[in-house]
Amino acid sequence: RALVFVFEAGPSSSIVHLTSSLYTAHHTSIMSDSGNESSAPVVDEQKKPEEVVVEEEIKVEGGGLLQEITVITGEEDEDVLYKCRAKLLRLDDKEWKERGTGEVKFLKHKETKKIRILMRRDKTFKICANHYVLPELKLQENVSSDKAWIYKCPADYAEDTPTEELFAIRFASSEVAGQFKEHFEASKVEMASLGSESSAAPSEAAAEAAPAAEAAAPASADA
């Protein structure tokens, strides 16, 4: 078997051609003195070999140089207190609309000790919830499911400008929903101990507290 590598350089890509030649060896039996056939082959070089060509192109954009890119998420100075998967909905014009499905985290800043909720959508990693766990936030039971909570956020910073939102957050099981509530309530206590500074929003803008509203979120699908 012979392997031949041919390299061709192009202006925008590198192409590698791989040619594999397979030769058929014609074996001639060699008889030993005892009359047994020997396993050693003899190649007849007069015969033309059969050739099978396999050609494969491997294209590498930009000349084939890969560079490592450092991605800044904004979470580098925070510790993850708890995380789980969830589905987030928001009330828009008296209708519940899905805002995203993905991982929701409780993040605690290493210096300020402030705790926020951050949730990103699957695949795109776009932020769909970003706000501090303010002491005045209140989780309310969803009348249609024990796997979901409803709460009003006075200022959510998922977008460029803060918006007041009524959220319904749904989990895969009632157990996960209970764990979320435990961390939610514990975070409120820690934030309250920080005093008035805890009311500042993640983007350093002030958030005005608003009373929670009663509503029922749909419970037809799980996170």
Side-chain angles (χ1 to χ4, degrees):
R1 176 181 297 182
L3 296 179
V4 180
F5 295 88
V6 181
F7 296 87
E8 299 179 1
S12 62
S13 64
S14 300
I15 303 177
V16 179
H17 292 277
L18 173 62
T19 303
S20 176
S21 300
L22 304 178
Y23 293 88
T24 303
H26 298 273
H27 300 271
T28 302
S29 298
I30 300 177
M31 302 300 294
S32 62
D33 294 339
S34 61
N36 297 327
E37 187 179 78
S38 172
S39 60
V42 175
V43 179
D44 186 357
E45 297 181 352
Q46 301 300 322
K47 298 292 184 177
K48 184 178 180 180
E50 298 179 359
E51 185 176 70
V52 179
V53 178
V54 180
E55 187 174 278
E56 181 181 1
E57 291 187 357
I58 304 175
K59 296 183 178 181
V60 182
E61 299 295 334
L65 297 178
L66 300 179
Q67 296 181 348
E68 184 177 352
I69 299 177
T70 302
V71 179
I72 305 299
T73 64
E75 305 172 32
E76 289 75 16
D77 296 328
E78 296 170 298
D79 293 323
V80 179
L81 301 180
Y82 176 75
K83 63 181 179 179
C84 64
R85 287 187 54 78
K87 178 178 289 185
L88 186 69
L89 300 95
R90 60 186 291 268
L91 192 65
D92 182 18
D93 195 20
K94 299 182 180 181
E95 181 181 356
W96 287 106
K97 295 183 179 180
E98 183 175 342
R99 197 169 198 184
T101 299
E103 190 174 67
V104 57
K105 301 178 183 178
F106 286 82
L107 300 175
K108 183 176 183 179
H109 199 277
K110 297 177 182 179
E111 294 183 3
T112 65
K113 307 303 179 182
K114 295 179 182 179
I115 302 174
R116 65 169 172 153
I117 286 179
L118 179 69
M119 183 173 178
R120 297 181 184 272
R121 298 185 181 97
D122 287 338
K123 298 181 180 179
T124 63
F125 300 104
K126 186 177 180 180
I127 294 175
C128 54
N130 180 29
H131 60 82
Y132 281 132
V133 189
L134 303 177
E136 57 266 28
L137 297 184
K138 182 180 178 181
L139 287 181
Q140 297 181 342
E141 294 182 356
N142 183 13
V143 296
S144 60
S145 174
D146 62 352
K147 297 184 289 186
W149 299 104
I150 295 173
Y151 69 97
K152 192 165 203 175
C153 176
D156 177 70
Y157 285 80
E159 305 295 339
D160 294 335
T161 57
T163 57
E164 183 180 77
E165 301 287 354
L166 181 61
F167 286 135
I169 186 166
R170 190 163 59 236
F171 307 93
S173 66
S174 58
E175 180 181 1
V176 178
Q179 294 173 356
F180 178 87
K181 182 180 181 180
E182 290 178 6
H183 287 275
F184 194 93
E185 297 300 331
S187 298
K188 287 170 52 178
V189 173
E190 286 196 46
M191 290 289 284
S193 66
L194 298 178
S196 60
E197 293 183 357
S198 65
S199 62
S203 65
E204 301 304 324
E208 296 180 358
E214 296 290 340
S220 58
D222 297 329

